[in-house]
Amino acid sequence: MTFLFAANLYAQEGTQMIRGTVRDEVSKSPVIGASILLIQESGASPVGAVTDIRGDFSIAGVPMGRQSFQVTMVGYEPQRLSSIVVTAGKEVVLNVTMTEAVQNLDEVVVTADRKNDKTKTNNELSLVSGRSFNVDDTKRYAGALGDPSRMAANFAGVVSGDDSRNDIVVRGNSPSGTLWQLEGLNIPNPNHFGSFAATGGPVSMLNNNVLGKSDFLTGAFPAQYGNALAAVFDLQLREGNNQKHELMGQVGFNGFELGAEGPFSKNSKASFLLNYRYSTLGLFKALGLQFGTGTAIPDYQDLNFKVAVPTGTKGKLTLFGITGSSDVNFLGNEVDTTLNNMYGTENTNTRVKYGTNIFGLAYEHNLTPKTFAKLTLGMSTTRERFSGDSISNPARESFLSGEAKYNTSKYSAVLNVRHKMNAKSSLYGGVTVDLLDFDLYSRSLHQGGTIDTVRANVSGEKTVLTQAYAQWKYRISQGLIFTAGLHFQHYNLNNNVAVEPRAGLQYAFGRGQSVSVGYGLNNQAQNIYTYFVQTPGESGPVRTNKDLGFTKSHHFVLSYQNRLTENLLLKIEPYYQQLFDVPVEQRSSTYSALNMGAAFGPSDRDSLVNEGTGRNMGIELTLERYFNKGYYFLFTTSVFDSKYKGSDKVERNTAFNTKYVLNVLGGKEFRFGANNIVSANIKTSLVGGKYITPLNLAASRARGAAVYDENRAYSLRQSAYFRTDIRFSYRREMRRSTMEFSMDLQNVTARKNIFQQTYNPRTNELVNQYQQPFFPVPYFRYTF
């Protein structure tokens, strides 16, 4: 840092280039002749640009700091882009989409702040339960650590699973009901240390430095999305700078990072974007900082990239991908029993290795000025290796207790087409084909390794999930929008078929108010492991789950929004979700697949049938002030109820029924001189306690292992979860570079939030394990 300061003592207030592209929202055709104007104090000389034949524009001489722009074009609704961060170390590239006006007006009466309005998703068919996010959100929110999932936990209706993982609970649904998409591809769990049946992990593989504006949807999805019950992360990667080479170096909790982007040559419009990261947790341990894993050192690395090559004025070819690996060992004999260890315990050894690769090649083309098509081909692979030992007492000998090997390879083809019939009516459609090739092996051992039970053993199997959709959007008037669509999916593993209607209606009235309703029927296949769980039979192993059908749910959402001021939004959403055809056991029991995702690994339950039910209902409130004049705040709260019925037909709380969640966030930015910016951000969360199944202490002592009282499943409520995070940051603008430093102070009150209750066979006692204590996370970034 001293070297960086010394090398830039000549820092002075500078300017930066602002570039970008303006396209039609539906057809993606360039909007030629659009005007982009820098909003300044009255009396200042106008600074702006007009888009060319490709829809491109560039504005030189834009001052550093937060700037706002006005985008206008005859026949289109005008837009305002507010609080764009302009720094010395990186050019700003804006991708703007404009909505064609339904009718020509004598004067401008509506100005859409698309950049700041988080309700304006990339997917214009989402009328309820959707919002967008970008890299600024993942960096700004205290406790987010640049992770999209941890950031989304601040939104209404969303609860973090726990401090050790970034998977999320949406409206009482299991995390396994979340769909992840990257550039239109359905992808596997994009997280390090993310087990085969999970949708999260401690650290995201998605690097926020390459993240573009993305969507997060929590209910009544548009027809484009299928095979999901809870939520959708529709992630987009930004493109690299196609006119200037830029470099980035970064050190933080998520790792040591190096990034580069730029054009392939001076005369080329093609660009590349590349970010590599390696874990820093080993360094934290050397400094004596405990982060909940005891003596274990999580090791991981990942690479994110995107290459964009224009093909003439109407097409573009992109290559993108994420690849990562991770491993960690938790050795029970090395656990310090005087410290809290959220992951490992003193009575087991656990060794895990993970690897995930996601690659895609996409070609998009404007077939006509009103028709846009995009074809994406992709491949993704996952690899997981697990082995575990049990440690005897008092001899402390280790015996193999289980091992698993899971390999999957998915080959995907996605075609999306959109056609704008006129300013009022648009059609959307597409087909997705995912071919899954997989090997699954899992066994458990008992009584010192003398009894061997194989739970899954399949190699070289293949299955195909085919999805198709069609949706129509009709703008009845300037303030009234109607959408209707159908989603179809077919699973050839057991020939399951589903046809799902989707519909939405939005009415805008007054000054910035709107009421929307949405409905959708959703179907989701089970985790592939579930179908191949085996149980002993007379003539060999039997796969009793092979014929399981889709789990289904009806989504009903009502939404009210009120733009109280230009930068202040109030949003209220009541919802009801009815789940049915849920896998439960044939015998009478409390088990339901709706509770899967609460543990780290897949479920070994066999003899399942689609006879369970569930329901989620609640109301959400969001009050958000978008960042303007140096500060922002976000207040979200949800009150909900999540219940299920197993094959015993008794209604119980789900594992995710916390009843309520409250998040309060805010931040203030201070400028000192022309080049120094200091900011402070705070987040406080209060979440109702989870319902758990109580342990039977007498039975646990008799068996020497945890035994749960299944007759009282999810009847014992833990204490409420409370946590406050604070983030301080400093940014210095130099002549041609930018330096940033921040410190995240997590759980500043050192609140002991309970993680789980376990049985310790060494002490013959019930033990409470607690979540992350106070933990400081430093971060440094340099761009030039």
Side-chain angles (χ1 to χ4, degrees):
M1 290 178 63
T2 302
F3 168 77
L4 294 175
F5 274 118
N8 291 277
L9 289 176
Y10 53 84
Q12 59 186 28
E13 184 174 7
T15 61
Q16 182 60 278
M17 173 78 73
I18 304 294
R19 299 187 294 104
T21 303
V22 180
R23 295 186 178 275
D24 183 272
E25 182 180 52
V26 178
S27 68
K28 301 302 180 183
S29 298
V31 177
I32 304 170
S35 174
I36 300 91
L37 184 66
L38 173 65
I39 299 175
Q40 304 179 86
E41 295 180 0
S42 59
S45 300
V47 177
V50 176
T51 56
D52 60 18
I53 192 172
R54 299 175 64 96
D56 296 336
F57 68 91
S58 61
I59 307 174
V62 177
M64 302 297 177
R66 294 187 180 271
Q67 306 295 342
S68 299
F69 300 85
Q70 183 81 11
V71 185
T72 57
M73 177 64 187
V74 175
Y76 283 85
E77 296 177 1
Q79 287 194 40
R80 181 187 177 96
L81 310 177
S82 300
S83 297
I84 306 296
V85 180
V86 181
T87 66
K90 183 173 182 55
E91 285 189 349
V92 178
V93 180
L94 302 173
N95 293 309
V96 183
T97 58
M98 300 192 74
T99 303
E100 188 174 359
V102 173
Q103 55 188 345
N104 292 323
L105 304 174
D106 294 333
E107 58 179 339
V108 176
V109 296
V110 176
T111 300
D113 191 344
R114 191 84 183 205
K115 169 66 167 58
N116 268 346
D117 192 348
K118 304 299 174 60
T119 64
K120 299 293 185 182
T121 56
N122 289 329
N123 192 318
E124 61 271 19
L125 297 173
S126 178
L127 303 184
V128 296
S129 300
R131 65 170 292 151
S132 66
F133 62 91
N134 55 33
V135 63
D136 290 338
D137 296 326
T138 62
K139 289 181 178 180
R140 180 183 300 132
Y141 293 169
L145 300 177
D147 188 325
S149 292
R150 296 183 191 275
M151 176 214 60
N154 299 301
F155 301 156
V158 184
V159 179
S160 175
D162 57 64
D163 292 346
S164 67
R165 293 155 59 186
N166 62 5
D167 51 4
I168 53 176
V169 175
V170 179
R171 293 179 171 176
N173 286 283
S174 164
S176 60
T178 299
L179 168 68
W180 289 89
Q181 281 197 350
L182 180 68
E183 296 282 326
L185 286 178
N186 298 326
I187 63 171
N189 182 3
N191 291 284
H192 289 298
F193 309 102
S195 65
F196 180 65
T199 60
V203 182
S204 174
M205 284 195 303
L206 180 71
N207 192 307
N208 70 335
N209 288 304
V210 305
L211 185 68
K213 181 184 176 184
S214 302
D215 290 346
F216 179 64
L217 313 174
T218 58
F221 319 128
Q224 175 181 339
Y225 307 107
N227 201 36
L229 299 178
V232 175
F233 269 108
D234 189 347
L235 303 170
Q236 302 294 319
L237 303 179
R238 66 178 181 87
E239 294 181 7
N241 193 324
N242 62 5
Q243 294 187 13
K244 178 184 176 183
H245 288 96
E246 297 175 333
L247 300 175
M248 182 275 298
Q250 178 174 308
V251 181
F253 169 78
N254 290 342
F256 293 98
E257 301 183 31
L258 293 174
E261 61 181 285
F264 282 99
S265 67
K266 291 183 179 180
N267 299 321
S268 172
K269 289 289 186 180
S271 67
F272 70 89
L273 175 64
L274 185 71
N275 268 81
Y276 171 76
R277 171 173 53 185
Y278 188 82
S279 62
T280 55
L281 296 184
L283 174 62
F284 288 168
K285 182 175 184 295
L287 295 175
L289 298 175
Q290 290 289 340
F291 39 84
T293 59
T295 58
I297 304 176
D299 183 42
Y300 56 87
Q301 58 183 321
D302 53 62
L303 178 71
N304 289 215
F305 69 90
K306 186 173 184 178
V307 176
V309 181
T311 56
T313 59
K314 296 183 178 181
K316 182 170 61 177
L317 186 70
T318 58
L319 175 68
F320 59 91
I322 300 176
T323 178
S325 62
S326 54
D327 63 84
V328 67
N329 295 328
F330 302 101
L331 304 180
N333 284 325
E334 296 182 4
V335 168
D336 186 345
T337 57
T338 65
L339 297 175
N340 171 56
N341 292 279
M342 195 187 306
Y343 297 84
T345 70
E346 61 178 286
N347 301 302
T348 61
N349 294 327
T350 302
R351 297 169 288 270
V352 289
K353 290 185 178 181
Y354 305 92
T356 300
N357 302 291
I358 302 166
F359 303 105
L361 179 66
Y363 177 69
E364 58 186 65
H365 195 85
N366 290 99
L367 303 177
T368 72
K370 293 189 175 183
T371 306
F372 172 83
K374 182 178 180 180
L375 175 65
T376 306
L377 304 177
M379 180 187 75
S380 60
T381 64
T382 66
R383 183 188 75 255
E384 179 178 343
R385 298 289 184 271
F386 161 82
S387 66
D389 302 330
S390 61
I391 299 176
S392 65
N393 287 302
R396 307 301 291 168
E397 294 182 86
S398 60
F399 299 91
L400 184 66
S401 59
E403 61 179 348
K405 300 177 181 179
Y406 306 131
N407 296 315
T408 69
S409 297
K410 183 163 65 175
Y411 307 91
S412 304
V414 183
L415 175 65
N416 286 299
V417 179
R418 51 177 66 193
H419 175 70
K420 183 164 71 172
M421 302 172 66
N422 50 52
K424 290 188 173 185
S425 187
S426 303
L427 294 175
Y428 305 75
V431 177
T432 299
V433 179
D434 292 323
L435 168 64
L436 184 65
D437 186 345
F438 53 94
D439 302 324
L440 308 173
Y441 177 76
S442 174
R443 69 167 179 155
S444 58
L445 295 93
H446 312 278
Q447 296 185 8
T450 58
I451 300 178
D452 185 338
T453 303
V454 176
R455 301 303 295 159
N457 187 8
V458 56
S459 178
E461 287 278 350
K462 295 179 175 62
T463 187
V464 178
L465 177 64
T466 303
Q467 302 178 72
Y469 77 95
Q471 191 149 351
W472 174 49
K473 179 179 180 181
Y474 184 60
R475 302 179 66 199
I476 302 170
S477 66
Q478 191 81 8
L480 188 60
I481 301 173
F482 172 72
T483 66
L486 284 175
H487 182 274
F488 165 86
Q489 63 186 42
H490 172 261
Y491 202 27
N492 83 328
L493 179 70
N494 45 25
N495 207 32
N496 277 325
V497 175
V499 178
E500 306 165 349
R502 313 281 176 86
L505 181 68
Q506 183 178 82
Y507 174 59
F509 60 95
R511 297 180 60 86
Q513 297 185 73
S514 67
V515 174
S516 307
V517 293
Y519 164 77
L521 173 63
N522 298 81
N523 288 256
Q524 184 177 29
Q526 313 308 318
N527 180 278
I528 191 65
Y529 180 92
T530 301
Y531 295 103
F532 290 90
V533 171
Q534 62 187 41
T535 185
E538 292 183 359
S539 57
V542 179
R543 294 168 181 162
T544 56
N545 298 338
K546 193 70 178 289
D547 295 327
L548 278 175
F550 297 131
T551 300
K552 303 179 170 116
S553 84
H554 293 290
H555 285 227
F556 303 90
V557 181
L558 174 64
S559 179
Y560 169 74
Q561 294 186 67
N562 189 341
R563 183 62 70 86
L564 301 173
T565 68
E566 181 181 354
N567 298 297
L568 186 62
L569 176 72
L570 172 68
K571 182 177 180 181
I572 301 173
E573 280 199 349
Y575 65 88
Y576 179 79
Q577 182 184 9
Q578 179 185 356
L579 298 111
F580 56 104
D581 289 354
V582 179
V584 295
E585 292 184 304
Q586 288 182 353
R587 66 179 180 88
S588 179
S589 78
T590 64
Y591 172 82
S592 171
L594 294 183
N595 295 314
M596 288 182 61
F600 280 98
S603 170
D604 288 327
R605 301 283 182 137
D606 56 47
S607 304
L608 301 180
V609 292
N610 293 100
E611 296 180 1
T613 61
R615 63 170 176 83
N616 297 312
M617 58 188 299
I619 185 168
E620 303 166 356
L621 183 146
T622 298
L623 181 64
E624 182 170 10
R625 188 191 191 277
Y626 303 135
F627 194 100
N628 184 260
K629 295 183 179 180
Y631 74 98
Y632 76 96
F633 63 77
L634 173 63
F635 173 90
T636 64
T637 185
S638 309
V639 179
F640 64 95
D641 192 36
S642 178
K643 295 293 179 62
Y644 82 96
K645 289 183 180 180
S647 54
D648 63 356
K649 306 303 180 182
V650 177
E651 187 175 69
R652 291 181 169 86
N653 299 292
T654 69
F656 313 105
N657 191 17
T658 60
K659 297 288 188 179
Y660 64 88
V661 57
L662 171 67
N663 294 301
V664 181
L665 300 84
K668 174 67 175 175
E669 189 174 273
F670 306 89
R671 177 178 288 272
F672 297 94
N675 304 304
N676 301 285
I677 298 94
V678 175
S679 65
N681 298 269
I682 187 170
K683 168 195 170 181
T684 295
S685 296
L686 177 64
V687 183
K690 294 181 180 179
Y691 285 93
I692 62 173
T693 301
L695 279 161
N696 186 322
L697 182 57
S700 297
R701 286 173 173 170
R703 184 180 295 183
V707 177
Y708 294 90
D709 187 352
E710 294 295 339
N711 292 326
R712 299 167 58 202
Y714 304 106
S715 62
L716 178 64
R717 194 176 190 186
Q718 296 177 333
S719 58
Y721 174 100
F722 176 81
R723 172 169 160 167
T724 298
D725 300 328
I726 298 178
R727 184 176 192 270
F728 299 101
S729 66
Y730 167 72
R731 186 174 82 244
R732 178 174 174 80
E733 300 294 347
M734 292 166 277
R735 189 174 180 181
R736 293 187 179 88
S737 60
T738 300
M739 181 183 67
E740 298 176 70
F741 176 79
S742 70
M743 176 67 75
D744 269 273
L745 304 176
Q746 299 197 30
N747 194 12
V748 292
T749 65
R751 162 89 172 203
K752 281 191 171 184
N753 293 301
I754 191 168
F755 174 55
Q756 64 180 0
Q757 187 181 69
T758 61
Y759 171 73
N760 188 328
R762 181 178 63 86
T763 61
N764 279 327
E765 294 178 347
L766 298 182
V767 179
N768 288 330
Q769 287 185 305
Y770 295 96
Q771 303 205 48
Q772 178 181 291
F774 168 70
F775 183 43
V777 181
Y779 163 94
F780 176 77
R781 186 170 187 255
Y782 186 60
T783 56
F784 56 100

